[in-house]
Amino acid sequence: MQLQLVPASRGFAWMQQGIRTFGKRPVALLGLFMIFLLAMSILAMIPWIGLVLALALLPAVTLGFMSATRTVAHGDFPMPTVLLTAFRAGKEQLHGMLLLGGIYAMLFGASMALTQLIDGGQFIKLYLLGVSTSPEEIRQIAGDGSFQLATLVAAVSNVLIAMLFWHASALLHWHQVPAIKAMFFSLVACIRNFPAYVLFLLGWVGVAVAVIFGASLLLATLFGSMVAAVVMQFLMIIVTCMFFASQYFSYVDCFVEATALDHQARQQTPPAL
């Protein structure tokens, strides 16, 4: 794979492309994203192995949503079966995708185990298990030095894991790059184009903050806090959906072969009626 170096401003361009693509088929993409969230939630509810299965399948399901974004960007309608793209590409690619998923689950588990060693499991209880605690207990935990260190370690490790897997599924599926090499190329692409990714993330954080504070204040004033809370959850799902839609365009931009493949697919796609 040949890496393309892109200017930092492309980070905002990926955002715009994701938002525009979502705008073409909002109901279809939102429906697929809800199916994705529901499937992951159901798997995570299975005792003992559910969370591991959800993590292991995340690269495959992420590829499915990237395929849906690609389909919409090229002018077609994404059917629900597009989420199963990784499982319909042949045994060799399926094995590679499952290997990616297994490595992802192990790395995530290792990062959580490290936080367990640092703060005795306080971070895992709040972040992963969602154990209910009072506001006073949360303030006490947040002020603890070991919890703060565990949070920092988790943040850094999760960023590194995300960089390893950001493009890996796409490279494995569309370019038949072996799983380990795909992770390496993904990491290199994120490092070499780091300024673009920083602006990309800052842009989405800005959108999320604007929705959380701006829309919530307006909705609470007009309709009350309960209605505002429900609508806010729905708006954040839409923002997250657009974020994942923009992932495809970062992949297309960062590799010469990906740009060529996307251009070829657009040329072959008949114009929409």
Side-chain angles (χ1 to χ4, degrees), residues 61-71 82-83 166-167 169-170 174 244-245 247-252:
V61 180
T62 300
L63 172 70
F65 196 75
M66 289 181 69
S67 298
T69 302
R70 184 176 189 260
T71 299
V82 75
L83 292 177
W166 187 252
H167 301 301
S169 298
W174 281 305
F244 278 102
Q247 181 179 5
Y248 173 74
F249 300 103
S250 66
Y251 144 74
V252 169

Side-chain angles (χ1 to χ4, degrees), residues 96-108:
M97 198 65 66
L98 293 177
L99 176 59
L100 278 181
I103 295 173
Y104 183 87
M106 287 190 293
L107 290 177
F108 183 83

Side-chain angles (χ1 to χ4, degrees), residues 20-270:
R20 282 201 302 267
T21 302
F22 177 83
K24 291 179 180 179
R25 300 283 187 181
V27 176
L29 286 177
L30 189 59
L32 290 173
F33 189 67
M34 294 295 286
I35 293 173
F36 159 64
L37 291 179
L38 181 62
M40 293 296 102
S41 299
I42 292 174
L43 280 175
M45 292 170 61
I46 301 175
W48 301 108
I49 64 169
L51 182 59
V52 176
L53 285 175
L55 290 170
L57 291 176
L58 192 57
V61 180
T62 300
L63 172 70
F65 196 75
M66 289 181 69
S67 298
T69 302
R70 184 176 189 260
T71 299
V72 174
H74 294 171
D76 294 329
F77 186 88
M79 301 300 292
T81 52
V82 75
L83 292 177
L84 302 177
T85 297
F87 304 98
R88 302 163 62 192
K91 288 185 177 180
E92 185 175 349
Q93 289 197 35
L94 177 58
H95 291 162
M97 198 65 66
L98 293 177
L99 176 59
L100 278 181
I103 295 173
Y104 183 87
M106 287 190 293
L107 290 177
F108 183 83
S111 70
M112 293 298 101
L114 188 56
T115 66
Q116 169 79 27
L117 293 175
I118 295 172
D119 72 348
Q122 293 292 343
F123 178 83
I124 292 177
K125 290 178 182 178
L126 290 177
Y127 172 68
L128 202 57
L129 302 180
V131 175
S132 58
T133 55
S134 65
E136 180 61 30
E137 290 175 322
I138 292 176
R139 282 193 292 269
Q140 291 179 354
I141 294 172
D144 183 71
S146 61
F147 175 81
Q148 294 172 358
L149 178 59
T151 303
L152 177 61
V153 168
V156 172
S157 61
N158 284 339
V159 168
L160 291 175
I161 292 171
M163 292 168 70
L164 282 168
F165 289 90
W166 187 252
H167 301 301
S169 298
L171 294 176
L172 189 153
H173 176 73
W174 281 305
H175 305 280
Q176 293 74 54
V177 178
I180 303 301
K181 283 188 176 180
M183 292 168 57
F184 172 76
F185 288 143
S186 176
L187 178 63
V188 171
C190 291
I191 292 174
R192 296 294 302 276
N193 287 316
F194 192 70
Y197 284 101
V198 169
L199 289 186
F200 175 74
L201 290 175
L202 288 177
W204 281 116
V205 168
V207 171
V209 169
V211 169
I212 291 172
F213 290 102
S216 63
L217 181 60
L218 178 62
L219 290 169
T221 302
L222 295 176
F223 305 107
S225 58
M226 290 187 63
V227 173
V230 173
V231 176
M232 279 302 304
Q233 289 184 346
F234 183 68
L235 289 177
M236 287 309 301
I237 290 175
I238 292 176
V239 171
T240 308
C241 181
M242 292 190 293
F243 169 79
F244 278 102
S246 62
Q247 181 179 5
Y248 173 74
F249 300 103
S250 66
Y251 144 74
V252 169
D253 242 11
C254 286
F255 298 96
V256 172
E257 294 86 348
T259 303
L261 184 64
D262 183 76
H263 179 72
Q264 180 182 2
R266 289 177 185 273
Q267 294 291 95
Q268 293 175 351
T269 301

